[in-house]
Amino acid sequence: DYVRGDTCAGIDEVGAPRLRALIESVSPAKVTVVAHSMGGLVTAYLAGSDVAWAQAHIASVVTFDSPLHGI
């Protein structure tokens, strides 16, 4: 579902809403998100921007090479 222009779009405008919709559409239970690079940023933003939703839908997050500065 990724298109070239998504790289320059804001995480809050495109990435997080798409990830949220994907999680809600494919899984009735909590998911573990495995993310690389910008995917880790998108996931961290999504989880941090709606903590109650994240607690209900995300079991854990694993990131690789995401620039999260130790969070």
Side-chain angles (χ1 to χ4, degrees), residues 1-43:
D1 199 21
Y2 175 82
V3 295
R4 184 176 179 168
D6 289 347
T7 301
C8 296
I11 289 172
D12 60 335
E13 299 166 358
V14 176
R18 281 188 178 176
L19 178 58
R20 182 179 182 140
L22 176 65
I23 291 170
E24 289 175 345
S25 71
V26 299
S27 179
K30 288 186 175 185
V31 299
T32 295
V33 178
V34 178
H36 176 260
S37 193
M38 187 174 171
L41 297 176
V42 170
T43 306

Side-chain angles (χ1 to χ4, degrees), residues 17 22 31 36 48 61 63 65-66:
L22 176 65
V31 299
H36 176 260
V61 176
T63 66
D65 296 325
S66 296

Side-chain angles (χ1 to χ4, degrees), residues 45-65:
Y45 178 85
L46 176 60
S49 65
D50 192 344
V51 175
W53 180 90
Q55 289 174 336
H57 292 86
I58 299 175
S60 59
V61 176
V62 178
T63 66
F64 298 93
D65 296 325

